[in-house]
Amino acid sequence: MSHLISARLISVLLLASSLLIAPLAVAEEVIVYSARIEQLIKPMFDAFTHETGIKVKYTTDNEGALLARLQAEGKNTPADMLITVDAGNLWAAAQSGLLKPVRSELLENNIPPHLRDPDHEWFGLSVRARTIIYNTKKVNPSELSTYEDLADPKWHKRLCLRSSKKVYNQSLVAMMLAEHGAADTEKVVKGWVANLATPPLPDDTKALEYVAAGKCDVTVVNTYYFGRLMHKDPDLPLAVFWPNQQSTGVHVNVSGAGITRYGRNQKNAVKLLEFLSSSKAQNLFADLNMEYPANPAIKPDTFVAGWGTFKQNPLNLSKAGELQTTAVKLMDRVGYQ
Ligand code: FE
């Protein structure tokens, strides 16, 4: 009898313990806040879940809202990972104490040093090249050389630029500040403003459309906007020029990620971050938006590869964050709206 009871007791205990373990096993997950839209992240998350069994839950919003939310939630945040665009935003998140350093040999091997935080708090996952696009009927590419040269009077009333309010050109100017110092950078940006054919435009696509329509001859945009436009209309008289190939290299930026300081699933979040840097995810991460893989071992999509290869600026992208405020003030000072 006591034998029977103890057997039943054991089975009850086993059942109870399996019930205790079961919810823990189901809770293998990572929670992501992403400024990259769903269609650009879900395929990689699905691949990660397929490989590891770890679920990925995510919320998408613009970067400002996500940073504010992480800040307001503090230690109670449900988020384990932040994905956002532009090194300036990643730098700001790290600067606000929202991220936690990650030491991972895999990440350090997969992502080149200039595309990740020297303090290991964020890692670039795709590269966006901000380059010169010109009207093929109005510009001979031999006229082109550098971003700085677009300040030369020979480009008078031939240049279109996106508004200085967007972080993209702020980052470009911040990197120039790191390379040339304030006085020389100011001369260049002043020259750009003097060469504008139209007031600064609201977005990169508009700038490309203006160049295609002959309202100006050259502009500076992220290549994926060029890719989207050419995909729609391959006959547009537009072509890519890779500037600064004899000097500093093409200005690049990243979309990337960091692990939140107070997330509860940090081990899984690191696994996801490592996965995103691996060959399995890198093509998905870059190709879906016509960007370049951050991992140099991975080739870009063939359409993107058709624009040619180029030397990237090897200066660490944290400079774009550090000097962003100085860049904004400089742009303001010279009347770049
Ligand atoms: Fe963009």
Side-chain angles (χ1 to χ4, degrees):
M1 185 71 176
S2 74
H3 218 79
L4 244 178
I5 288 170
S6 66
R8 277 186 68 171
L9 190 64
I10 286 166
S11 67
V12 166
L13 282 173
L14 279 173
L15 181 68
S17 67
S18 74
L19 283 174
L20 276 175
I21 290 163
L24 284 177
V26 179
E28 285 286 315
E29 63 179 16
V30 187
I31 299 173
V32 179
Y33 283 180
S34 174
R36 241 171 123 82
I37 57 172
E38 181 174 25
Q39 68 194 80
L40 297 183
I41 50 172
K42 192 174 182 296
M44 287 94 73
F45 293 165
D46 289 347
F48 175 72
T49 303
H50 184 77
E51 185 169 302
T52 62
I54 300 166
K55 289 210 174 82
V56 183
K57 291 183 181 162
Y58 54 87
T59 300
T60 61
D61 207 334
N62 68 55
E63 52 268 358
L66 290 178
L67 289 187
R69 187 162 163 183
L70 274 175
Q71 204 124 38
E73 288 167 347
K75 289 185 178 167
N76 299 317
T77 187
D80 302 302
M81 178 186 282
L82 172 71
I83 294 181
T84 187
V85 296
D86 202 280
N89 293 326
L90 291 161
W91 182 86
Q95 205 58 15
S96 314
L98 300 173
L99 303 179
K100 187 182 173 130
V102 175
R103 292 314 303 257
S104 154
E105 211 177 305
L106 198 77
L107 281 167
E108 281 162 36
N109 285 333
N110 285 346
I111 308 299
H114 68 293
L115 303 178
R116 52 180 159 88
D117 178 21
D119 297 325
H120 315 281
E121 295 198 12
W122 51 263
F123 297 82
L125 294 170
S126 65
V127 169
R128 11 193 63 205
R130 196 156 186 80
T131 197
I132 294 178
I133 305 286
Y134 63 95
N135 183 311
T136 51
K137 289 179 187 157
K138 299 177 79 182
V139 177
N140 185 323
S142 67
E143 288 180 83
L144 291 160
S145 57
T146 63
Y147 301 104
E148 291 83 353
D149 177 69
L150 296 177
D152 189 280
K154 78 177 181 205
W155 297 107
H156 187 62
K157 297 227 161 130
R158 298 174 73 192
L159 177 65
C160 275
L161 285 179
R162 184 182 190 150
S163 152
S164 67
K165 304 293 174 279
K166 174 80 181 185
V167 70
Y168 295 165
N169 283 345
Q170 295 171 4
S171 291
L172 171 62
V173 172
M175 294 301 263
M176 286 172 58
L177 276 166
E179 279 147 4
H180 307 312
D184 284 352
T185 305
E186 185 157 336
K187 253 185 248 166
V188 170
V189 181
K190 219 181 216 168
W192 289 350
V193 173
N195 286 341
L196 287 177
T198 70
L201 299 164
D203 56 58
D204 282 17
T205 303
K206 192 54 100 192
L208 288 167
E209 286 167 355
Y210 269 49
V211 175
K215 290 179 189 170
C216 39
D217 297 352
V218 279
T219 189
V220 177
V221 295
N222 288 356
T223 51
Y224 56 90
Y225 291 107
F226 167 76
R228 284 180 208 167
L229 204 62
M230 295 308 275
H231 208 73
K232 265 196 280 178
D233 188 353
D235 296 328
L236 288 175
L238 297 175
V240 171
F241 180 83
W242 300 116
N244 298 53
Q245 293 303 282
Q246 297 342 306
S247 54
T248 47
V250 168
H251 173 63
V252 292
N253 211 315
V254 289
S255 75
I259 305 299
T260 63
R261 186 161 296 265
Y262 300 113
R264 291 180 189 85
N265 303 297
Q266 292 195 334
K267 232 177 88 188
N268 288 344
V270 171
K271 267 190 210 164
L272 175 59
L273 190 55
E274 289 179 335
F275 178 81
L276 292 175
S277 78
S278 73
S279 57
K280 281 174 202 140
Q282 274 287 292
N283 270 124
L284 286 172
F285 207 98
D287 295 358
L288 288 166
N289 194 35
M290 287 192 251
E291 293 173 85
Y292 293 88
N295 182 337
I298 313 303
K299 298 258 176 299
D301 158 78
T302 44
F303 183 62
V304 172
W307 307 331
T309 55
F310 60 93
K311 173 181 134 186
Q312 294 181 18
N313 187 330
L315 189 64
N316 192 284
L317 273 174
S318 57
K319 290 282 172 222
E322 282 169 42
L323 292 164
Q324 189 176 332
T325 310
T326 317
V328 170
K329 282 187 192 150
L330 185 155
M331 291 156 110
D332 198 46
R333 210 159 50 235
V334 302
Y336 178 8
Q337 292 176 323

